[in-house]
Amino acid sequence: MTAQPPSPRTVAGWILRRPTALSEAEQLQLKTVLAHCPGLDALTRHVRSFAIMLTERQGERLPEWLDAVRQDDLPSLHTLAAGIDRDRDAVIAGLTLPWNSGVVEGHVNRIKMLKRQMFGRAGFHLLRKRVLLYS
């Protein structure tokens, strides 16, 4: 009887986690999966190098990362690379600079949540009051 292969969700979790956060058994299983699928191995390399760029603020490495992605036969990553290319300067700034719009996005998310909770119940005046009282 052969062992059950890991689910796609499990493999994705292994790929997306830091390699140091994986147990020895998980590392071994991932190594086995990657040995059987060269495309997944290339994807893992690209995902992990992008994660390093992101966590260590190495935006200047983005052009070489995009070139490496385009050299592999991974259509879904080619789509991502094309999207990044459309706004390359902003992506490089986001990967390099210490500032972000997280606080603003948090406020927008909160206002949208309040708006969803009130859908169809009242007008702008009540929404305004709830937004101001929530702050």
mmCIF file of all heavy atoms in Angstrom, residues 42-89:
data_model
loop_
_atom_site.group_PDB
_atom_site.id
_atom_site.type_symbol
_atom_site.label_atom_id
_atom_site.label_comp_id
_atom_site.label_asym_id
_atom_site.label_seq_id
_atom_site.Cartn_x
_atom_site.Cartn_y
_atom_site.Cartn_z
ATOM 1 N N ALA A 42 10.416 25.009 -9.204
ATOM 2 C CA ALA A 42 10.718 26.365 -9.684
ATOM 3 C C ALA A 42 9.807 27.385 -9.009
ATOM 4 O O ALA A 42 10.257 28.458 -8.591
ATOM 5 C CB ALA A 42 10.557 26.430 -11.202
ATOM 6 N N LEU A 43 8.527 27.054 -8.889
ATOM 7 C CA LEU A 43 7.584 27.944 -8.223
ATOM 8 C C LEU A 43 8.019 28.214 -6.789
ATOM 9 O O LEU A 43 7.999 29.357 -6.325
ATOM 10 C CB LEU A 43 6.180 27.329 -8.240
ATOM 11 C CG LEU A 43 5.120 28.119 -7.472
ATOM 12 C CD1 LEU A 43 4.716 29.350 -8.267
ATOM 13 C CD2 LEU A 43 3.924 27.256 -7.174
ATOM 14 N N THR A 44 8.442 27.178 -6.087
ATOM 15 C CA THR A 44 8.883 27.320 -4.696
ATOM 16 C C THR A 44 10.074 28.260 -4.598
ATOM 17 O O THR A 44 10.123 29.128 -3.722
ATOM 18 C CB THR A 44 9.239 25.937 -4.107
ATOM 19 O OG1 THR A 44 8.078 25.112 -4.178
ATOM 20 C CG2 THR A 44 9.686 26.045 -2.667
ATOM 21 N N ARG A 45 11.037 28.104 -5.499
ATOM 22 C CA ARG A 45 12.204 29.008 -5.500
ATOM 23 C C ARG A 45 11.774 30.459 -5.694
ATOM 24 O O ARG A 45 12.252 31.356 -4.998
ATOM 25 C CB ARG A 45 13.194 28.600 -6.591
ATOM 26 C CG ARG A 45 14.014 27.390 -6.259
ATOM 27 C CD ARG A 45 15.193 27.215 -7.218
ATOM 28 N NE ARG A 45 14.888 27.475 -8.619
ATOM 29 C CZ ARG A 45 14.410 26.572 -9.475
ATOM 30 N NH1 ARG A 45 14.178 25.343 -9.066
ATOM 31 N NH2 ARG A 45 14.180 26.886 -10.734
ATOM 32 N N HIS A 46 10.864 30.699 -6.639
ATOM 33 C CA HIS A 46 10.412 32.069 -6.913
ATOM 34 C C HIS A 46 9.631 32.653 -5.734
ATOM 35 O O HIS A 46 9.818 33.809 -5.364
ATOM 36 C CB HIS A 46 9.565 32.117 -8.183
ATOM 37 C CG HIS A 46 10.329 31.816 -9.423
ATOM 38 N ND1 HIS A 46 11.508 32.440 -9.762
ATOM 39 C CD2 HIS A 46 10.087 30.923 -10.422
ATOM 40 C CE1 HIS A 46 11.952 31.965 -10.917
ATOM 41 N NE2 HIS A 46 11.108 31.036 -11.328
ATOM 42 N N VAL A 47 8.751 31.850 -5.155
ATOM 43 C CA VAL A 47 7.952 32.325 -4.018
ATOM 44 C C VAL A 47 8.856 32.677 -2.844
ATOM 45 O O VAL A 47 8.715 33.726 -2.215
ATOM 46 C CB VAL A 47 6.904 31.256 -3.603
ATOM 47 C CG1 VAL A 47 6.310 31.572 -2.242
ATOM 48 C CG2 VAL A 47 5.811 31.162 -4.649
ATOM 49 N N ARG A 48 9.818 31.822 -2.569
ATOM 50 C CA ARG A 48 10.707 32.066 -1.423
ATOM 51 C C ARG A 48 11.640 33.242 -1.663
ATOM 52 O O ARG A 48 11.912 34.013 -0.742
ATOM 53 C CB ARG A 48 11.472 30.796 -1.085
ATOM 54 C CG ARG A 48 10.524 29.773 -0.456
ATOM 55 C CD ARG A 48 11.229 28.581 0.065
ATOM 56 N NE ARG A 48 10.281 27.751 0.834
ATOM 57 C CZ ARG A 48 10.533 26.524 1.190
ATOM 58 N NH1 ARG A 48 11.684 25.962 0.890
ATOM 59 N NH2 ARG A 48 9.633 25.847 1.874
ATOM 60 N N SER A 49 12.116 33.419 -2.896
ATOM 61 C CA SER A 49 12.980 34.578 -3.149
ATOM 62 C C SER A 49 12.169 35.870 -3.085
ATOM 63 O O SER A 49 12.657 36.898 -2.612
ATOM 64 C CB SER A 49 13.713 34.446 -4.486
ATOM 65 O OG SER A 49 12.823 34.452 -5.563
ATOM 66 N N PHE A 50 10.888 35.820 -3.512
ATOM 67 C CA PHE A 50 10.040 37.012 -3.383
ATOM 68 C C PHE A 50 9.776 37.313 -1.910
ATOM 69 O O PHE A 50 9.772 38.471 -1.499
ATOM 70 C CB PHE A 50 8.722 36.832 -4.137
ATOM 71 C CG PHE A 50 7.935 38.103 -4.251
ATOM 72 C CD1 PHE A 50 8.199 38.999 -5.269
ATOM 73 C CD2 PHE A 50 6.947 38.417 -3.337
ATOM 74 C CE1 PHE A 50 7.494 40.189 -5.368
ATOM 75 C CE2 PHE A 50 6.237 39.596 -3.426
ATOM 76 C CZ PHE A 50 6.506 40.487 -4.452
ATOM 77 N N ALA A 51 9.572 36.282 -1.115
ATOM 78 C CA ALA A 51 9.336 36.469 0.325
ATOM 79 C C ALA A 51 10.549 37.131 0.986
ATOM 80 O O ALA A 51 10.390 38.007 1.843
ATOM 81 C CB ALA A 51 9.018 35.142 0.990
ATOM 82 N N ILE A 52 11.738 36.727 0.580
ATOM 83 C CA ILE A 52 12.946 37.353 1.137
ATOM 84 C C ILE A 52 13.006 38.815 0.733
ATOM 85 O O ILE A 52 13.301 39.688 1.550
ATOM 86 C CB ILE A 52 14.210 36.584 0.688
ATOM 87 C CG1 ILE A 52 14.248 35.232 1.387
ATOM 88 C CG2 ILE A 52 15.468 37.382 0.983
ATOM 89 C CD1 ILE A 52 15.294 34.284 0.842
ATOM 90 N N MET A 53 12.694 39.092 -0.548
ATOM 91 C CA MET A 53 12.663 40.494 -1.007
ATOM 92 C C MET A 53 11.681 41.313 -0.171
ATOM 93 O O MET A 53 11.960 42.443 0.205
ATOM 94 C CB MET A 53 12.207 40.556 -2.467
ATOM 95 C CG MET A 53 13.283 40.787 -3.449
ATOM 96 S SD MET A 53 12.652 41.204 -5.080
ATOM 97 C CE MET A 53 11.425 39.988 -5.411
ATOM 98 N N LEU A 54 10.545 40.722 0.102
ATOM 99 C CA LEU A 54 9.486 41.415 0.837
ATOM 100 C C LEU A 54 9.864 41.648 2.297
ATOM 101 O O LEU A 54 9.727 42.754 2.812
ATOM 102 C CB LEU A 54 8.194 40.596 0.748
ATOM 103 C CG LEU A 54 6.946 41.155 1.390
ATOM 104 C CD1 LEU A 54 6.501 42.408 0.665
ATOM 105 C CD2 LEU A 54 5.834 40.120 1.335
ATOM 106 N N THR A 55 10.368 40.628 2.962
ATOM 107 C CA THR A 55 10.644 40.751 4.394
ATOM 108 C C THR A 55 11.926 41.520 4.687
ATOM 109 O O THR A 55 12.045 42.123 5.747
ATOM 110 C CB THR A 55 10.724 39.362 5.063
ATOM 111 O OG1 THR A 55 11.709 38.583 4.403
ATOM 112 C CG2 THR A 55 9.380 38.666 5.026
ATOM 113 N N GLU A 56 12.861 41.508 3.757
ATOM 114 C CA GLU A 56 14.126 42.196 3.989
ATOM 115 C C GLU A 56 14.245 43.507 3.210
ATOM 116 O O GLU A 56 15.322 44.080 3.121
ATOM 117 C CB GLU A 56 15.292 41.256 3.650
ATOM 118 C CG GLU A 56 15.329 40.046 4.559
ATOM 119 C CD GLU A 56 16.466 39.099 4.216
ATOM 120 O OE1 GLU A 56 17.330 39.445 3.381
ATOM 121 O OE2 GLU A 56 16.485 37.996 4.808
ATOM 122 N N ARG A 57 13.132 43.955 2.644
ATOM 123 C CA ARG A 57 13.068 45.221 1.899
ATOM 124 C C ARG A 57 14.176 45.326 0.849
ATOM 125 O O ARG A 57 14.990 46.240 0.867
ATOM 126 C CB ARG A 57 13.138 46.407 2.844
ATOM 127 C CG ARG A 57 11.981 46.462 3.805
ATOM 128 C CD ARG A 57 11.920 47.818 4.487
ATOM 129 N NE ARG A 57 10.943 47.835 5.523
ATOM 130 C CZ ARG A 57 9.639 48.021 5.329
ATOM 131 N NH1 ARG A 57 9.175 48.184 4.135
ATOM 132 N NH2 ARG A 57 8.812 48.030 6.344
ATOM 133 N N GLN A 58 14.163 44.375 -0.072
ATOM 134 C CA GLN A 58 15.161 44.345 -1.139
ATOM 135 C C GLN A 58 14.500 44.591 -2.494
ATOM 136 O O GLN A 58 14.663 43.817 -3.436
ATOM 137 C CB GLN A 58 15.886 43.004 -1.141
ATOM 138 C CG GLN A 58 16.646 42.714 0.119
ATOM 139 C CD GLN A 58 17.265 41.330 0.117
ATOM 140 O OE1 GLN A 58 16.984 40.502 -0.739
ATOM 141 N NE2 GLN A 58 18.113 41.075 1.092
ATOM 142 N N GLY A 59 13.760 45.683 -2.606
ATOM 143 C CA GLY A 59 13.038 46.001 -3.836
ATOM 144 C C GLY A 59 13.923 46.157 -5.049
ATOM 145 O O GLY A 59 13.474 45.960 -6.184
ATOM 146 N N GLU A 60 15.195 46.490 -4.837
ATOM 147 C CA GLU A 60 16.101 46.665 -5.972
ATOM 148 C C GLU A 60 16.348 45.341 -6.710
ATOM 149 O O GLU A 60 16.795 45.341 -7.851
ATOM 150 C CB GLU A 60 17.437 47.281 -5.525
ATOM 151 C CG GLU A 60 18.288 46.405 -4.619
ATOM 152 C CD GLU A 60 17.874 46.403 -3.145
ATOM 153 O OE1 GLU A 60 16.983 47.185 -2.761
ATOM 154 O OE2 GLU A 60 18.449 45.598 -2.390
ATOM 155 N N ARG A 61 16.013 44.213 -6.080
ATOM 156 C CA ARG A 61 16.176 42.903 -6.706
ATOM 157 C C ARG A 61 14.980 42.511 -7.576
ATOM 158 O O ARG A 61 15.007 41.466 -8.238
ATOM 159 C CB ARG A 61 16.384 41.825 -5.644
ATOM 160 C CG ARG A 61 17.728 41.897 -4.963
ATOM 161 C CD ARG A 61 17.956 40.754 -3.983
ATOM 162 N NE ARG A 61 17.452 39.480 -4.480
ATOM 163 C CZ ARG A 61 16.868 38.566 -3.708
ATOM 164 N NH1 ARG A 61 16.714 38.765 -2.419
ATOM 165 N NH2 ARG A 61 16.435 37.428 -4.222
ATOM 166 N N LEU A 62 13.927 43.337 -7.593
ATOM 167 C CA LEU A 62 12.713 42.981 -8.331
ATOM 168 C C LEU A 62 12.954 42.751 -9.823
ATOM 169 O O LEU A 62 12.462 41.751 -10.357
ATOM 170 C CB LEU A 62 11.620 44.037 -8.123
ATOM 171 C CG LEU A 62 10.286 43.719 -8.797
ATOM 172 C CD1 LEU A 62 9.654 42.503 -8.147
ATOM 173 C CD2 LEU A 62 9.351 44.900 -8.714
ATOM 174 N N PRO A 63 13.685 43.598 -10.540
ATOM 175 C CA PRO A 63 13.879 43.342 -11.980
ATOM 176 C C PRO A 63 14.530 41.982 -12.260
ATOM 177 O O PRO A 63 14.095 41.264 -13.171
ATOM 178 C CB PRO A 63 14.789 44.494 -12.435
ATOM 179 C CG PRO A 63 14.500 45.593 -11.466
ATOM 180 C CD PRO A 63 14.246 44.899 -10.159
ATOM 181 N N GLU A 64 15.528 41.594 -11.476
ATOM 182 C CA GLU A 64 16.163 40.286 -11.706
ATOM 183 C C GLU A 64 15.203 39.150 -11.360
ATOM 184 O O GLU A 64 15.201 38.104 -12.005
ATOM 185 C CB GLU A 64 17.484 40.150 -10.955
ATOM 186 C CG GLU A 64 17.347 39.985 -9.461
ATOM 187 C CD GLU A 64 18.680 39.978 -8.729
ATOM 188 O OE1 GLU A 64 19.518 40.835 -9.012
ATOM 189 O OE2 GLU A 64 18.854 39.098 -7.859
ATOM 190 N N TRP A 65 14.338 39.351 -10.342
ATOM 191 C CA TRP A 65 13.337 38.347 -9.989
ATOM 192 C C TRP A 65 12.339 38.175 -11.138
ATOM 193 O O TRP A 65 11.987 37.060 -11.506
ATOM 194 C CB TRP A 65 12.619 38.736 -8.699
ATOM 195 C CG TRP A 65 11.639 37.710 -8.228
ATOM 196 C CD1 TRP A 65 11.905 36.607 -7.478
ATOM 197 C CD2 TRP A 65 10.221 37.690 -8.484
ATOM 198 N NE1 TRP A 65 10.745 35.895 -7.248
ATOM 199 C CE2 TRP A 65 9.710 36.536 -7.851
ATOM 200 C CE3 TRP A 65 9.350 38.525 -9.174
ATOM 201 C CZ2 TRP A 65 8.351 36.208 -7.901
ATOM 202 C CZ3 TRP A 65 8.005 38.193 -9.224
ATOM 203 C CH2 TRP A 65 7.516 37.044 -8.592
ATOM 204 N N LEU A 66 11.894 39.298 -11.717
ATOM 205 C CA LEU A 66 10.953 39.242 -12.838
ATOM 206 C C LEU A 66 11.571 38.522 -14.027
ATOM 207 O O LEU A 66 10.908 37.722 -14.693
ATOM 208 C CB LEU A 66 10.511 40.656 -13.233
ATOM 209 C CG LEU A 66 9.609 41.376 -12.233
ATOM 210 C CD1 LEU A 66 9.430 42.834 -12.623
ATOM 211 C CD2 LEU A 66 8.263 40.685 -12.119
ATOM 212 N N ASP A 67 12.841 38.789 -14.308
ATOM 213 C CA ASP A 67 13.523 38.107 -15.416
ATOM 214 C C ASP A 67 13.594 36.605 -15.158
ATOM 215 O O ASP A 67 13.371 35.803 -16.066
ATOM 216 C CB ASP A 67 14.935 38.676 -15.617
ATOM 217 C CG ASP A 67 14.914 40.098 -16.157
ATOM 218 O OD1 ASP A 67 13.877 40.506 -16.726
ATOM 219 O OD2 ASP A 67 15.926 40.808 -15.996
ATOM 220 N N ALA A 68 13.915 36.218 -13.922
ATOM 221 C CA ALA A 68 13.994 34.798 -13.571
ATOM 222 C C ALA A 68 12.626 34.126 -13.721
ATOM 223 O O ALA A 68 12.534 32.985 -14.207
ATOM 224 C CB ALA A 68 14.519 34.634 -12.147
ATOM 225 N N VAL A 69 11.560 34.817 -13.332
ATOM 226 C CA VAL A 69 10.205 34.268 -13.458
ATOM 227 C C VAL A 69 9.855 34.054 -14.924
ATOM 228 O O VAL A 69 9.299 33.023 -15.299
ATOM 229 C CB VAL A 69 9.177 35.213 -12.779
ATOM 230 C CG1 VAL A 69 7.769 34.895 -13.221
ATOM 231 C CG2 VAL A 69 9.297 35.118 -11.271
ATOM 232 N N ARG A 70 10.209 35.015 -15.770
ATOM 233 C CA ARG A 70 9.870 34.905 -17.197
ATOM 234 C C ARG A 70 10.638 33.778 -17.890
ATOM 235 O O ARG A 70 10.201 33.284 -18.921
ATOM 236 C CB ARG A 70 10.143 36.233 -17.886
ATOM 237 C CG ARG A 70 9.117 37.276 -17.528
ATOM 238 C CD ARG A 70 9.249 38.507 -18.406
ATOM 239 N NE ARG A 70 8.381 39.538 -17.903
ATOM 240 C CZ ARG A 70 8.779 40.528 -17.115
ATOM 241 N NH1 ARG A 70 10.038 40.637 -16.750
ATOM 242 N NH2 ARG A 70 7.914 41.427 -16.693
ATOM 243 N N GLN A 71 11.770 33.376 -17.345
ATOM 244 C CA GLN A 71 12.573 32.317 -17.970
ATOM 245 C C GLN A 71 11.979 30.930 -17.728
ATOM 246 O O GLN A 71 12.270 30.007 -18.476
ATOM 247 C CB GLN A 71 14.009 32.372 -17.461
ATOM 248 C CG GLN A 71 14.767 33.561 -18.001
ATOM 249 C CD GLN A 71 16.149 33.692 -17.395
ATOM 250 O OE1 GLN A 71 16.568 32.844 -16.610
ATOM 251 N NE2 GLN A 71 16.848 34.753 -17.742
ATOM 252 N N ASP A 72 11.158 30.780 -16.698
ATOM 253 C CA ASP A 72 10.540 29.482 -16.410
ATOM 254 C C ASP A 72 9.174 29.383 -17.074
ATOM 255 O O ASP A 72 8.517 30.388 -17.336
ATOM 256 C CB ASP A 72 10.395 29.281 -14.897
ATOM 257 C CG ASP A 72 11.713 28.976 -14.224
ATOM 258 O OD1 ASP A 72 12.570 28.357 -14.871
ATOM 259 O OD2 ASP A 72 11.882 29.369 -13.064
ATOM 260 N N ASP A 73 8.736 28.165 -17.313
ATOM 261 C CA ASP A 73 7.446 27.926 -17.957
ATOM 262 C C ASP A 73 6.356 27.813 -16.892
ATOM 263 O O ASP A 73 5.851 26.728 -16.603
ATOM 264 C CB ASP A 73 7.511 26.653 -18.798
ATOM 265 C CG ASP A 73 6.237 26.421 -19.591
ATOM 266 O OD1 ASP A 73 5.563 27.409 -19.912
ATOM 267 O OD2 ASP A 73 5.920 25.245 -19.868
ATOM 268 N N LEU A 74 6.038 28.966 -16.280
ATOM 269 C CA LEU A 74 5.009 29.020 -15.240
ATOM 270 C C LEU A 74 4.013 30.127 -15.598
ATOM 271 O O LEU A 74 4.153 31.280 -15.172
ATOM 272 C CB LEU A 74 5.653 29.306 -13.876
ATOM 273 C CG LEU A 74 6.670 28.270 -13.389
ATOM 274 C CD1 LEU A 74 7.457 28.791 -12.218
ATOM 275 C CD2 LEU A 74 5.944 26.984 -13.026
ATOM 276 N N PRO A 75 2.985 29.817 -16.406
ATOM 277 C CA PRO A 75 2.059 30.841 -16.905
ATOM 278 C C PRO A 75 1.416 31.699 -15.812
ATOM 279 O O PRO A 75 1.236 32.898 -15.996
ATOM 280 C CB PRO A 75 0.991 30.041 -17.656
ATOM 281 C CG PRO A 75 1.636 28.734 -17.971
ATOM 282 C CD PRO A 75 2.653 28.493 -16.892
ATOM 283 N N SER A 76 1.079 31.097 -14.673
ATOM 284 C CA SER A 76 0.431 31.893 -13.617
ATOM 285 C C SER A 76 1.396 32.931 -13.053
ATOM 286 O O SER A 76 0.990 34.049 -12.734
ATOM 287 C CB SER A 76 -0.096 30.987 -12.509
ATOM 288 O OG SER A 76 0.955 30.201 -11.996
ATOM 289 N N LEU A 77 2.667 32.588 -12.933
ATOM 290 C CA LEU A 77 3.642 33.575 -12.470
ATOM 291 C C LEU A 77 3.924 34.611 -13.549
ATOM 292 O O LEU A 77 4.245 35.752 -13.233
ATOM 293 C CB LEU A 77 4.945 32.899 -12.031
ATOM 294 C CG LEU A 77 4.984 32.376 -10.615
ATOM 295 C CD1 LEU A 77 6.378 31.889 -10.262
ATOM 296 C CD2 LEU A 77 4.543 33.405 -9.603
ATOM 297 N N HIS A 78 3.800 34.231 -14.832
ATOM 298 C CA HIS A 78 3.980 35.198 -15.905
ATOM 299 C C HIS A 78 2.893 36.268 -15.816
ATOM 300 O O HIS A 78 3.152 37.451 -16.047
ATOM 301 C CB HIS A 78 3.933 34.521 -17.266
ATOM 302 C CG HIS A 78 5.121 33.638 -17.520
ATOM 303 N ND1 HIS A 78 5.278 32.929 -18.677
ATOM 304 C CD2 HIS A 78 6.212 33.344 -16.768
ATOM 305 C CE1 HIS A 78 6.405 32.239 -18.629
ATOM 306 N NE2 HIS A 78 6.980 32.469 -17.464
ATOM 307 N N THR A 79 1.689 35.852 -15.468
ATOM 308 C CA THR A 79 0.591 36.809 -15.291
ATOM 309 C C THR A 79 0.890 37.756 -14.125
ATOM 310 O O THR A 79 0.683 38.966 -14.235
ATOM 311 C CB THR A 79 -0.730 36.055 -15.028
ATOM 312 O OG1 THR A 79 -0.948 35.132 -16.085
ATOM 313 C CG2 THR A 79 -1.905 37.007 -14.926
ATOM 314 N N LEU A 80 1.392 37.212 -13.032
ATOM 315 C CA LEU A 80 1.775 38.047 -11.885
ATOM 316 C C LEU A 80 2.873 39.016 -12.285
ATOM 317 O O LEU A 80 2.807 40.214 -11.958
ATOM 318 C CB LEU A 80 2.244 37.171 -10.718
ATOM 319 C CG LEU A 80 2.825 37.922 -9.521
ATOM 320 C CD1 LEU A 80 1.746 38.729 -8.820
ATOM 321 C CD2 LEU A 80 3.486 36.958 -8.556
ATOM 322 N N ALA A 81 3.884 38.541 -13.013
ATOM 323 C CA ALA A 81 4.993 39.394 -13.438
ATOM 324 C C ALA A 81 4.497 40.522 -14.339
ATOM 325 O O ALA A 81 4.950 41.667 -14.212
ATOM 326 C CB ALA A 81 6.051 38.565 -14.155
ATOM 327 N N ALA A 82 3.566 40.219 -15.234
ATOM 328 C CA ALA A 82 3.015 41.253 -16.118
ATOM 329 C C ALA A 82 2.268 42.308 -15.302
ATOM 330 O O ALA A 82 2.384 43.509 -15.569
ATOM 331 C CB ALA A 82 2.084 40.620 -17.158
ATOM 332 N N GLY A 83 1.530 41.870 -14.290
ATOM 333 C CA GLY A 83 0.821 42.820 -13.428
ATOM 334 C C GLY A 83 1.775 43.691 -12.635
ATOM 335 O O GLY A 83 1.560 44.900 -12.488
ATOM 336 N N ILE A 84 2.843 43.104 -12.148
ATOM 337 C CA ILE A 84 3.847 43.875 -11.396
ATOM 338 C C ILE A 84 4.528 44.871 -12.319
ATOM 339 O O ILE A 84 4.792 46.012 -11.943
ATOM 340 C CB ILE A 84 4.871 42.930 -10.735
ATOM 341 C CG1 ILE A 84 4.215 42.198 -9.569
ATOM 342 C CG2 ILE A 84 6.101 43.685 -10.266
ATOM 343 C CD1 ILE A 84 5.092 41.124 -8.940
ATOM 344 N N ASP A 85 4.799 44.445 -13.549
ATOM 345 C CA ASP A 85 5.463 45.323 -14.523
ATOM 346 C C ASP A 85 4.645 46.567 -14.837
ATOM 347 O O ASP A 85 5.203 47.621 -15.107
ATOM 348 C CB ASP A 85 5.744 44.564 -15.815
ATOM 349 C CG ASP A 85 7.216 44.294 -15.996
ATOM 350 O OD1 ASP A 85 8.029 44.894 -15.262
ATOM 351 O OD2 ASP A 85 7.561 43.478 -16.869
ATOM 352 N N ARG A 86 3.316 46.425 -14.808
ATOM 353 C CA ARG A 86 2.460 47.577 -15.111
ATOM 354 C C ARG A 86 2.655 48.717 -14.127
ATOM 355 O O ARG A 86 2.431 49.875 -14.467
ATOM 356 C CB ARG A 86 0.993 47.157 -15.135
ATOM 357 C CG ARG A 86 0.588 46.605 -16.473
ATOM 358 C CD ARG A 86 -0.902 46.326 -16.542
ATOM 359 N NE ARG A 86 -1.010 44.877 -16.771
ATOM 360 C CZ ARG A 86 -1.643 44.043 -15.996
ATOM 361 N NH1 ARG A 86 -2.284 44.455 -14.935
ATOM 362 N NH2 ARG A 86 -1.664 42.761 -16.272
ATOM 363 N N ASP A 87 3.047 48.384 -12.899
ATOM 364 C CA ASP A 87 3.261 49.424 -11.890
ATOM 365 C C ASP A 87 4.568 49.158 -11.142
ATOM 366 O O ASP A 87 4.629 49.183 -9.925
ATOM 367 C CB ASP A 87 2.070 49.439 -10.926
ATOM 368 C CG ASP A 87 1.870 50.801 -10.289
ATOM 369 O OD1 ASP A 87 2.602 51.752 -10.657
ATOM 370 O OD2 ASP A 87 1.009 50.914 -9.412
ATOM 371 N N ARG A 88 5.607 48.912 -11.911
ATOM 372 C CA ARG A 88 6.900 48.491 -11.369
ATOM 373 C C ARG A 88 7.448 49.464 -10.328
ATOM 374 O O ARG A 88 7.923 49.041 -9.274
ATOM 375 C CB ARG A 88 7.901 48.314 -12.502
ATOM 376 C CG ARG A 88 9.250 47.814 -12.027
ATOM 377 C CD ARG A 88 10.240 47.756 -13.151
ATOM 378 N NE ARG A 88 10.004 46.589 -13.975
ATOM 379 C CZ ARG A 88 10.973 45.837 -14.470
ATOM 380 N NH1 ARG A 88 12.221 46.139 -14.237
ATOM 381 N NH2 ARG A 88 10.696 44.795 -15.197
ATOM 382 N N ASP A 89 7.405 50.767 -10.611
ATOM 383 C CA ASP A 89 7.973 51.747 -9.674
ATOM 384 C C ASP A 89 7.282 51.695 -8.309
ATOM 385 O O ASP A 89 7.940 51.757 -7.266
ATOM 386 C CB ASP A 89 7.900 53.161 -10.242
ATOM 387 C CG ASP A 89 8.823 53.362 -11.439
ATOM 388 O OD1 ASP A 89 9.807 52.589 -11.555
ATOM 389 O OD2 ASP A 89 8.562 54.265 -12.243
#
